[in-house]
Amino acid sequence: MSARSSNQFLDTLGRHLFGADGPETRGDRLYFRIVELFILGYAVWFCWDWGLYIQQNISSVLLPLGLANYVDVSFLFGHNVALLNAGLVALLGGLGFFRFWRPAYLLALVAFHFQYVARYSLGEISHGSNLIGMGVLGLGVALVAFRSESVRRRFTFGFLYFFIGLGYTSAAVCKLIGTGIMWPDGRHLLMWIAERKVDTLSKFGAFEPNVLQEWVLTDYHVGTAILLFGLFTEAISFLMWWRPYRYPVVLLVVGMHFGIYVSMNIFFAASTYFLILLSLPWNRVFDALLETDAPGLSLSDVLPRRRTRASQ
Amino acid sequence: MATRTNALRLIGIVLTAYALLVATHKGEFWPFSIYPMFSQAGNPWTRAVVREMPPDTKAASLDWSAVPFREVPGEPYPLSPKNINQNDVANYVSKTETWTADRVHGLRSLFTKNRSLSAPLYVFRVRGELTGDSVAVAATPVMLIAPDSTYLNPSPQARTAGRTVADPADEE
């Protein structure tokens, strides 16, 4: 790729990820604050949930993850330290949300990271919270790097679509490298259904396959069709970087998550709800509900604007 | 335009950090990941199941050999109501290469930290593998966690994942 075509590609990508699509509306701002609140709410919920689990169950590090490779995280295992850490994430989240302290979100992410590596120090690598973590990172970078709320909003959404699209496409590449083009073979789904059966029995003491699972168990070619859809959806996920494909692609990914839930009883709740928030132009829905698309003030803008002026 | 350039530059910086961290940490540095889940399709898997045994169960009288999954002894011991994550139990029985005192204590504490046992718990490693168009599943006892003591499978080979054990298996 020549330097000129590379620049053209980056210019187009920048426009599709971060460009404005007309004057900013109240719906735009309300939508951003709802997404922001969703990310923070889930981050705090994860930290409290993990904090309680760490306090109740974990006493040693079986597999160090992330910063646990360099820092002994066993200090989080007792004396309610994990719960205090969860409280710290909530406090920093509040400081960031109300724009009282610009580094707050990035520091919240560090505390969130420690909570994650302590919770999953027994060897399980959970991906259920990764998108929320990327959301906190996107918000944190926006808050530190930009002073305009409008630019923060556009940067955060562009950041999210870029890294979410990259992540799902990376998952498809891993499958093709790890298994090859035979990855969608329906017999692989038989294996995963049997694995989920053991997990479900272990969790709840009973397992009853649903209609789709019965269908796959009867004819594994049905499983092949399901896996083909999943692999295709992941492979094209990077197309959400470009606006004309964004909403259809994100909706396909949401559909894939429902497919994973029905076929394997695995529900990535945080990721699915997050993707639903990103899968439609909710800002336009809010504009319609607010019966105006004219620029106006809201509480969410007044607070940061005061901080910005004060700091200039 | 300058804002878009700055935004792209920031994406580039985060992307570089992302790539460096996952490349040096086996694909995972939360919240960064290459998302490798389900990439090793068709390979045998190892999970865990816990069964509650009668209160008078003695470790010496147990048969520690592998059984088809549908023949595991005891009663179900559902982990979810006890707020124990089954993945954590599975990680202990599938990733432990040597059952040191720390590992034994770690697994035991999942069931006994801040709670007491009324009956012994029999922990099984469950292995599934593809055989033709079906899945064969077998369970090997790893540990008996009694209220006052802990017993490992007397066979060092059987209690450690990855060792070849002639497991009988269910066809699923």
Side-chain angles (χ1 to χ4, degrees), chain A residues 263-282:
Chain A
S263 58
M264 289 195 277
N265 297 47
I266 301 173
F267 187 49
F268 292 91
S271 303
T272 306
Y273 298 143
F274 195 8
L275 287 163
I276 289 172
L277 263 181
L278 297 174
S279 66
L280 290 170
W282 296 107

Side-chain angles (χ1 to χ4, degrees), chain A residues 61-71 73 117 120-123, chain B residues 25 28:
Chain A
V61 176
L62 201 62
L63 178 72
L65 293 170
L67 288 174
N69 285 289
Y70 312 101
V71 179
V73 296
V117 298
Y120 293 106
S121 59
L122 297 185
Chain B
H25 292 82
E28 299 287 345

Side-chain angles (χ1 to χ4, degrees), chain A residues 14 53 57-59 62 70 113 119 122-124 127 129-130 170 179 183 187 191 197 199 202-203, chain B residues 25 28 30-31 34 38-39 41 43 45 47 79-80 83 85-88 91 95 103 109 113 133 172:
Chain A
Y53 191 86
N57 296 301
I58 298 181
S59 59
L62 201 62
Y70 312 101
H113 177 94
R119 166 61 189 88
L122 297 185
E124 179 198 2
H127 293 105
S129 59
N130 283 61
S170 163
T179 304
W183 183 87
R187 284 170 292 196
M191 283 284 279
K197 174 184 172 181
D199 272 347
S202 182
K203 279 173 82 171
Chain B
H25 292 82
E28 299 287 345
W30 188 94
I34 58 169
F38 304 116
S39 61
N43 286 354
W45 46 257
R47 306 301 295 163
L79 300 176
S80 197
N83 195 29
N85 189 304
Q86 91 279 2
N87 286 324
D88 292 336
N91 279 318
K95 292 181 178 163
R103 293 290 166 102
S109 72
K113 189 177 174 186
D133 291 346
E172 292 293 316

Side-chain angles (χ1 to χ4, degrees), chain A residues 229 232-233 236 246-257 279:
Chain A
F229 167 75
F232 171 76
T233 301
I236 64 160
R246 183 162 296 163
Y247 297 127
V249 169
V250 180
L251 281 170
L252 271 178
V253 179
V254 171
M256 182 191 74
H257 273 292
S279 66

Side-chain angles (χ1 to χ4, degrees), chain A residues 17-73:
Chain A
L17 287 174
F18 308 113
D21 50 357
E24 188 176 58
T25 65
R26 290 169 65 190
D28 288 333
R29 290 193 288 270
L30 178 61
Y31 176 43
F32 176 54
R33 294 300 267 174
I34 287 173
V35 170
E36 191 174 356
L37 197 58
F38 172 86
I39 292 168
L40 294 177
Y42 242 116
V44 171
W45 185 84
F46 272 128
C47 288
W48 279 108
D49 190 46
W50 296 342
L52 291 168
Y53 191 86
I54 292 165
Q55 195 67 31
Q56 171 75 27
N57 296 301
I58 298 181
S59 59
S60 60
V61 176
L62 201 62
L63 178 72
L65 293 170
L67 288 174
N69 285 289
Y70 312 101
V71 179
D72 181 5
V73 296

Side-chain angles (χ1 to χ4, degrees), chain B residues 7 9 14 41 46 53 56 59 63 70-71 76-77 84 89 94 98-99 112 120 145-148 150 152-153:
Chain B
R9 191 172 294 136
V14 174
T46 304
M53 303 299 281
D56 57 350
D63 179 3
R70 68 183 60 168
E71 293 175 16
Y77 183 80
I84 300 167
V89 183
S94 66
T98 305
W99 282 100
T112 58
I145 301 171
D148 54 355
T150 308
L152 276 169
N153 187 322

